[in-house]
Amino acid sequence: MKQELKQQVVEANQRLVSSGLVALTWGNVSAIDRESGLVAIKPSGVDYAALTPENLVVVNLAGEVVEGDLRPSSDTKTHLELYRSFPNIGAVVHTHSSCATAFSQAGVALPCLGTTHADHFYGDVPVARALTPEEVESDYEHATGVSIVELFQQQNLNPLEMPAVLLKHHAPFTWGKDPVKAVDNSIALEMCAKMALMTWQLQPDAGEMPRHILEKHYQRKHGKDAYYGQN
Ligand SMILES: O=C(CO)[C@@H](O)[C@H](O)COP(=O)(O)O
């Protein structure tokens, strides 16, 4: 896999720490080279400061390790399901950032209360259902990815317009066209979750922003087609 992409993955993982999104090793970033179909991902349990392009793990979309000696992140199968199902994304991030994880644990969709949110997410950030005992037993991480994809299909959501999801009783995933954008979306998600909690402390009845303002802000930031890569 290209060294440059591996370096971007290392820097993106380390940005999770500098952005205050992770404690311990509660998060991971991967990126895909769409030409080869290979994915570079953080090795499981490894401290972010110790990451190098050489100790990243490279897997194919079947989950087979093709480069690296360490164990890939425990969330690898979830990342891979997102790459298989969302062909226009280039990187995936999973964190346990506090405020977004609070919404996930509560099973509460993150509402679009203001323009900050509208600039990044085209509506409420949805919650993917908890897994069944059978799913947990059979293949937890793969089933987690499937639950996200099912949710987006059921709600007719475009992953390029909604680059985030909250996993009930778990934590968020975000994605983007590249590792920088995917981490940007994790930072934006955590800030929007924090602001929502603070808004509700001030005004428990605060409701969603008017749709016409959401539309204006999202289109202004992302262009008329509202797709990544257009701006
Ligand atoms: O979601 C979880 C645990 O609930 C994981 O994201 C860990 O927090 C990080 O696992 P590794 O990437 O180190 O395997």
Side-chain angles (χ1 to χ4, degrees), residues 12-29 48 93-101 171-172 174 182-191:
N13 275 282
Q14 292 173 339
R15 194 169 162 229
L16 298 184
V17 179
S18 60
S19 305
L21 293 180
V22 296
L24 302 176
T25 58
W26 296 346
N28 39 71
V29 182
Y48 299 92
V93 179
H94 173 50
T95 78
H96 288 228
S97 62
S98 307
C99 297
T101 298
T174 65
V183 173
D184 285 354
N185 287 327
S186 283
I187 293 168
L189 179 69
E190 178 62 11
M191 284 304 293

Side-chain angles (χ1 to χ4, degrees), residues 41 62 67 75 77 80 83 122 127 174-175 182 191:
I41 193 164
E67 284 181 44
D75 299 300
K77 289 185 177 180
L80 296 181
Y83 287 126
Y122 194 46
V127 179
T174 65
W175 47 84
M191 284 304 293

Side-chain angles (χ1 to χ4, degrees), residues 2-228:
K2 295 170 189 145
Q3 196 71 2
E4 181 190 355
L5 187 57
K6 285 184 175 180
Q7 182 60 37
Q8 289 174 19
V9 172
V10 169
E11 291 169 5
N13 275 282
Q14 292 173 339
R15 194 169 162 229
L16 298 184
V17 179
S18 60
S19 305
L21 293 180
V22 296
L24 302 176
T25 58
W26 296 346
N28 39 71
V29 182
S30 70
I32 186 169
D33 173 359
R34 287 289 180 187
E35 282 179 31
S36 63
L38 297 180
V39 173
I41 193 164
K42 181 184 178 293
S44 184
V46 174
D47 188 89
Y48 299 92
L51 293 179
T52 66
E54 292 67 38
N55 66 18
L56 292 181
V57 183
V58 178
V59 297
N60 60 25
L61 285 173
E64 297 157 335
V65 175
V66 298
E67 284 181 44
D69 303 320
L70 299 173
R71 193 162 50 87
S73 167
S74 54
D75 299 300
T76 297
K77 289 185 177 180
T78 307
H79 288 237
L80 296 181
E81 184 58 31
L82 296 178
Y83 287 126
R84 282 193 293 266
S85 302
F86 300 162
N88 294 314
I89 68 174
V92 173
V93 179
H94 173 50
T95 78
H96 288 228
S97 62
S98 307
C99 297
T101 298
F103 276 88
S104 303
Q105 293 181 162
V108 173
L110 177 59
C112 186
L113 299 180
T115 60
T116 318
H117 182 124
D119 279 348
H120 292 269
F121 309 105
Y122 194 46
D124 300 355
V125 178
V127 179
R129 63 175 173 82
L131 301 183
T132 66
E134 294 74 25
E135 289 172 322
V136 171
E137 193 58 38
S138 64
D139 194 338
Y140 180 64
E141 290 77 17
H142 177 248
T144 298
V146 170
S147 72
I148 296 168
V149 174
E150 278 177 358
L151 173 72
F152 274 60
Q153 287 168 344
Q154 287 160 4
Q155 295 193 8
N156 194 28
L157 293 172
N158 182 327
L160 298 180
E161 297 174 347
M162 181 48 69
V165 68
L166 305 172
L167 300 179
K168 194 167 186 180
H169 303 310
H170 187 173
F173 273 80
T174 65
W175 47 84
K177 67 178 181 177
D178 56 40
V180 169
K181 192 68 184 173
V183 173
D184 285 354
N185 287 327
S186 283
I187 293 168
L189 179 69
E190 178 62 11
M191 284 304 293
C192 290
K194 184 175 181 180
M195 287 188 272
L197 292 172
M198 294 166 75
T199 302
W200 281 338
Q201 280 180 315
L202 291 168
Q203 176 52 273
D205 297 336
E208 302 197 354
M209 70 188 304
R211 189 76 193 179
H212 63 278
I213 303 177
L214 161 59
E215 295 280 352
K216 177 65 179 175
H217 270 266
Y218 191 85
Q219 303 305 337
R220 191 176 71 174
K221 181 97 172 178
H222 296 269
K224 64 178 173 52
D225 296 330
Y227 286 108
Y228 283 98

